[in-house]
Amino acid sequence: MRTSSFLLMAILLLCGCSQQDQSSEEQAGIAAKEYYDRLLAGDIDGFLKGKADMDSVPADYRSQMYAACEQYKKELDETHGGVATITVSNARTDSTQQMMQAFLLLNFKDSTKEEIIVPMVQRGDVWMLR
């Protein structure tokens, strides 16, 4: 019983060191990775909910964006055997455009890699896709 209590306390302490200890760059990179993980999992709605100002997009444009995301996911699934994992390689502030650039490394199943740049903007405390 003592061991499980100790493990629970250790987990809670580790979880408590979340966003407060992370830089804006780290937060934006993590958010970008989470959105792309959703896309790869087939959760296109979840991916698009991560897009800034998505709630003001007209329905016809939203359906076009959904179709484009489906096509992009299909291409990722077919390229080099699909994506095995995504890692955050870097993020930096782009002061000229008031946004953050998150660099994600797509690790494909055939061991090839591709780095993509994901523009991110902050809305309140949340980092969103630009």
Side-chain angles (χ1 to χ4, degrees):
M1 187 71 164
R2 262 184 217 256
T3 304
S4 61
S5 297
F6 176 74
L7 287 173
L8 180 60
M9 285 179 42
I11 290 170
L12 290 174
L13 284 173
L14 288 173
C15 292
C17 301
S18 60
Q19 288 189 345
Q20 293 177 354
D21 295 336
Q22 296 171 336
S23 69
S24 294
E25 289 84 1
E26 290 171 321
Q27 291 175 25
I30 290 168
K33 181 190 178 312
E34 288 174 359
Y35 295 130
Y36 271 79
D37 283 342
R38 289 179 191 171
L39 176 67
L40 289 180
D43 182 9
I44 295 172
D45 286 324
F47 176 78
L48 288 175
K49 285 179 184 174
K51 183 131 177 73
D53 306 320
M54 191 65 182
D55 54 347
S56 62
V57 173
D60 59 332
Y61 184 61
R62 186 180 312 219
S63 65
Q64 291 173 16
M65 290 177 71
Y66 190 94
C69 287
E70 281 183 317
Q71 181 62 35
Y72 179 58
K73 182 193 176 321
K74 182 180 176 186
E75 290 171 13
L76 287 175
D77 289 343
E78 293 172 354
T79 303
H80 306 287
V83 177
T85 60
I86 299 174
T87 55
V88 179
S89 64
N90 194 6
R92 69 171 180 237
T93 303
D94 184 343
S95 57
T96 61
Q97 297 183 17
Q98 302 288 322
M99 66 176 186
M100 189 75 65
Q101 293 178 331
F103 294 79
L104 299 181
L105 191 61
L106 305 180
N107 303 290
F108 290 95
K109 291 180 180 174
D110 69 353
S111 299
T112 58
K113 299 174 190 236
E114 178 182 343
E115 187 172 58
I116 61 172
I117 300 172
V118 182
M120 303 290 289
V121 294
Q122 194 170 21
R123 297 289 189 259
D125 292 336
V126 178
W127 283 98
M128 304 189 81
L129 302 165
R130 181 164 182 261

